[in-house]
Amino acid sequence: MEESQRQKKIGSVLQRDLVEILQKAASDGGMQGVLISVSKVKVTVDLSVAKVYLSIFPNAKAKELLVGIRSNAPLIKHELAQRTRHQLRRMPQLEFFVDDSLEYIDGIEKSLKRTENPIKDPDLLDNRKKS
């Protein structure tokens, strides 16, 4: 089902403010060289839950940062509520996920650039499924 205009509007407001909050928290926390971006915010139909998809660079620190962000979710929600208090009556519950779509696309590009052709040699597909 497609998102309503209200869901999209709330998602974009949350996305813009979350980027600022997370970038500030990363720089204040002494995490130099870490880039956190919010790729998408999907709000449920009843506006009670917002699923936040994060792109984290370098990717090696993604799991560690996600654990830290999830543990600080109440503080992030409070800061977000302060910033959006004139736009939203209730702040949705925040759920954080790592957006790995860029990795997936990069993997496809690397596979296409290889000299091996999985279409001509179907045995290569079996090898990729196992790894």
Side-chain angles (χ1 to χ4, degrees):
M1 195 161 106
E2 191 174 327
E3 287 183 310
S4 68
Q5 285 297 101
R6 180 81 175 141
Q7 288 172 286
K8 289 178 185 177
K9 187 174 181 179
I10 290 173
S12 67
V13 167
L14 294 176
Q15 182 176 5
R16 182 184 31 152
D17 289 332
L18 274 169
V19 168
E20 294 173 12
I21 291 169
L22 293 174
Q23 284 291 355
K24 184 177 183 298
S27 65
D28 290 350
M31 301 190 94
Q32 301 301 326
V34 175
L35 179 66
I36 302 173
S37 66
V38 179
S39 56
K40 181 118 177 114
V41 176
K42 293 188 118 193
V43 182
T44 57
V45 176
D46 62 355
L47 309 176
S48 64
V49 177
K51 294 181 180 181
V52 181
Y53 295 91
L54 305 172
S55 291
I56 301 171
F57 182 81
N59 198 23
K61 296 185 178 184
K63 300 286 184 195
E64 174 188 336
L65 278 171
L66 186 62
V67 170
I69 289 170
R70 284 180 176 165
S71 66
N72 289 316
L75 296 172
I76 295 169
K77 181 179 176 180
H78 177 73
E79 175 69 25
L80 194 57
Q82 294 299 316
R83 290 176 180 236
T84 61
R85 67 177 172 246
H86 298 295
Q87 297 168 333
L88 298 175
R89 286 187 208 155
R90 291 189 61 204
M91 177 57 54
Q93 186 69 33
L94 301 175
E95 295 179 358
F96 295 97
F97 302 95
V98 173
D99 182 14
D100 58 355
S101 60
L102 292 176
E103 284 178 47
Y104 181 72
I105 292 169
D106 190 44
I108 291 173
E109 285 182 3
K110 285 180 181 177
S111 294
L112 291 174
K113 289 179 182 178
R114 289 185 182 167
T115 57
E116 305 165 344
N117 189 344
I119 294 173
K120 292 180 182 176
D121 187 6
D123 293 333
L124 293 173
L125 291 174
D126 294 333
N127 294 339
R128 289 192 179 142
K129 287 180 185 177
K130 293 175 186 172
S131 58

